[in-house]
Amino acid sequence: MAAQLNIVLGMSIISVLLMLEVEAQAGSFSVLKYGAKADGKTDMSKAFLDAFKAACASRSAAKVLIPKGSFLLSGAQLEGPCKGPIEFLVEGTVMAPPDIKAFKEPLWISFKKITNFKMSGGGIFDGKGAQAYKREGCVKNDYCKHLPINLRFDFLTNAMIQDITSKDAKQFHVNVLGCKNITFDKLTITAPKESPNTDGIHIGRSTGVKVLNTKIGTGDDCVSFGDGSENVLIKGVTCGPGHGISIGSLGLYQKEDPVKGITISGCTLTNTKNGVRIKTWPNSYPGIASDMHFEDITVRNVDYPIIVDQKYCPWNRCNLKAESKVKLSNISFKNIRGTATQEEAIKIICSATYPCQNVELGNIDIKLAGKGTAKSVCTNVKPKLTGKQSPPVCTGSSKASDASDKASGGSGKASGKSGKASSSKKKSS
């Protein structure tokens, strides 16, 4: 009798354990279960979408799993809202089709209108961009207009993307639009130095964005900001190769939303075209960008470490005699040190119509790599200088001071007018 009781008890325990295991796995939706194959050849688009739909319908926390292995994905548009929190655990390598003609719109994978979103797992999104970098046939065909962004995050709320790699995107690696409270931590973003328009992370019309402890090496801006970017922190980012960390370009489109509250801190830029930069178009539409702060930045062999460029004109098709109408104010560059490869290490070129207001530079120590001496060039700005200034900043007489004083009534303060600003469409570098 005791033996029978022990057997029954043992079986009950096993049943409970099995039930608990099934329950634990109930919230996990592997793409393999929905028909995906880790052979690098079979398109898993349907399997990925089906796994997402099942996870999205779960009222409890759910997880979409892409296990280790190589998966071909022609494209995926994953849209909420979902009934509960959702996580994408990406352990494998997800590969795009190499042929640029396979894409009819500028996206590969998009996540849209999801709240409480997480992505992690150490996996790789490989955009297979080599063919796109050649730009062959672009003059006679329109498919170059539709080069896909690797990862789009549109209208997400409370999101965390962590420990993910984006490789060889055909266009931007990551695009953030209309998001609230989204964090990127420990990402790796990589593409060849010569790859055009492959911004690492582009942010537009979003608030509460953080990019932390991330390594970016690409052919364009490591991090870039379009209009409507507010309360953004970029901290602990290493950048290079690339075009630096850039706010803008701004003013190209009508009714752009204001840019406000950008902090770039503790970043290192190596062998980049620019360091930290603000850029607006001449002859632009009205706009506003304010409260932009760059601090504790290390530059190593950077062409132009500090730039404010309100004559930004990459294609030389602008009316450079016309001034930018984007108002820049409350800008600081502090504790920036390292080496420049070009003599004009600091360029602060502001608008004569709306001179830059409340600009501060403190503890700048930038030397020219090789022979010669670094210098600064300033127009239409009268900055506050604190601490060390090497090279000397804005010391020469220029129309800058006069224009700045006139715009602020001689006080150096920003004018009280504010305008409506800009769109997140982009880009040239």
Side-chain angles (χ1 to χ4, degrees):
M1 185 73 176
Q4 287 180 334
L5 187 61
N6 285 337
I7 291 170
V8 171
L9 188 60
M11 290 178 67
S12 298
I13 291 170
I14 291 169
S15 297
V16 169
L17 290 172
L18 286 171
M19 218 163 70
L20 288 172
E21 187 179 350
V22 168
E23 232 177 274
Q25 294 298 320
S28 183
F29 301 85
S30 171
V31 293
L32 296 178
K33 177 183 174 183
Y34 293 87
K37 295 181 180 179
D39 58 6
K41 300 176 183 178
T42 304
D43 184 7
M44 75 159 182
S45 295
K46 185 178 184 304
F48 192 27
L49 181 60
D50 289 347
F52 166 72
K53 285 180 177 178
C56 192
S58 173
R59 294 188 180 277
S60 57
K63 183 184 296 182
V64 176
L65 172 64
I66 299 177
K68 291 181 179 179
S70 297
F71 296 86
L72 176 66
L73 178 68
S74 61
Q77 299 181 46
L78 309 180
E79 183 171 347
C82 294
K83 292 183 177 179
I86 190 164
E87 177 180 359
F88 289 81
L89 185 61
V90 183
E91 297 175 343
T93 298
V94 183
M95 301 181 299
D99 189 354
I100 57 178
K101 297 176 185 177
F103 297 90
K104 304 302 180 186
E105 53 186 326
L107 62 85
W108 176 33
I109 305 170
S110 68
F111 303 90
K112 188 174 184 179
K113 296 181 180 177
I114 301 172
T115 298
N116 298 325
F117 172 99
K118 184 177 180 182
M119 178 183 288
S120 62
I124 299 170
F125 291 94
D126 186 349
K128 297 290 182 182
Q131 184 185 120
Y133 305 153
K134 298 175 183 177
R135 295 293 197 264
E136 291 177 349
C138 287
V139 176
K140 296 181 180 180
N141 299 283
D142 65 355
Y143 49 73
C144 292
K145 298 177 183 177
H146 306 303
L147 292 174
I149 294 166
N150 260 16
L151 297 169
R152 288 192 64 111
F153 299 100
D154 298 337
F155 308 102
L156 303 190
T157 301
N158 302 330
M160 166 68 81
I161 296 89
Q162 189 173 39
D163 192 24
I164 290 293
T165 294
S166 175
K167 177 183 177 185
D168 293 344
K170 292 180 176 70
Q171 203 195 146
F172 295 0
H173 287 268
V174 174
N175 192 83
V176 182
L177 177 66
C179 292
K180 296 178 181 178
N181 301 325
I182 181 170
T183 298
F184 298 89
D185 185 28
K186 298 183 179 68
L187 267 63
T188 300
I189 294 175
T190 178
K193 180 180 179 180
E194 298 78 18
S195 57
N197 217 28
T198 52
D199 288 37
I201 300 175
H202 180 66
I203 300 163
R205 298 180 186 174
S206 297
T207 182
V209 181
K210 296 180 181 178
V211 180
L212 311 172
N213 311 310
T214 288
K215 183 178 180 180
I216 304 174
T218 189
D220 212 298
D221 293 330
C222 290
V223 182
S224 60
F225 300 83
D227 75 296
S229 300
E230 292 194 13
N231 300 323
V232 179
L233 173 64
I234 311 297
K235 187 172 183 179
V237 168
T238 61
C239 170
H243 291 184
I245 297 174
S246 298
I247 297 173
S249 56
L250 302 175
L252 185 60
Y253 301 99
Q254 294 188 55
K255 298 181 180 180
E256 292 184 353
D257 293 330
V259 171
K260 184 177 181 180
I262 311 295
T263 299
I264 316 294
S265 176
C267 297
T268 300
L269 300 99
T270 304
N271 298 323
T272 55
K273 189 173 182 179
N274 309 293
V276 289
R277 174 170 62 157
I278 301 169
K279 51 184 178 177
T280 76
W281 292 83
N283 197 27
S284 67
Y285 291 103
I288 296 174
S290 62
D291 300 310
M292 299 168 284
H293 305 290
F294 307 87
E295 57 192 32
D296 300 318
I297 306 295
T298 299
V299 292
R300 297 170 179 159
N301 296 322
V302 169
D303 289 358
Y304 304 101
I306 298 174
I307 302 179
V308 176
D309 184 6
Q310 294 208 261
K311 294 283 188 181
Y312 175 71
C313 183
W315 305 307
N316 296 318
R317 297 177 184 171
C318 313
N319 179 5
L320 291 173
K321 293 181 180 179
E323 298 295 330
S324 176
K325 298 182 186 69
V326 179
K327 299 178 182 179
L328 303 181
S329 64
N330 301 333
I331 305 166
S332 65
F333 299 93
K334 295 182 178 180
N335 302 321
I336 300 180
R337 59 205 171 273
T339 56
T341 64
Q342 303 297 317
E343 282 190 358
E344 294 180 348
I346 301 172
K347 298 172 70 174
I348 304 179
I349 311 300
C350 297
S351 168
T353 303
Y354 297 109
C356 298
Q357 302 296 320
N358 299 336
V359 177
E360 180 178 357
L361 290 94
N363 295 319
I364 307 299
D365 187 8
I366 300 172
K367 295 179 174 59
L368 190 63
K371 296 180 180 180
T373 304
K375 64 181 183 179
S376 67
V377 178
C378 304
T379 60
N380 304 314
V381 63
K382 189 176 182 180
K384 175 184 176 182
L385 304 178
T386 59
K388 182 176 182 178
Q389 299 294 327
S390 177
V393 178
C394 302
T395 54
S397 63
S398 80
K399 59 182 180 181
S401 299
D402 294 337
S404 183
D405 282 344
K406 286 177 183 177
S408 59
S411 67
K413 294 182 180 178
S415 60
K417 294 181 180 180
S418 64
K420 184 128 179 164
S422 277
S423 108
S424 178
K425 296 174 187 175
K426 211 188 159 246
K427 154 91 199 256
S428 40
S429 47

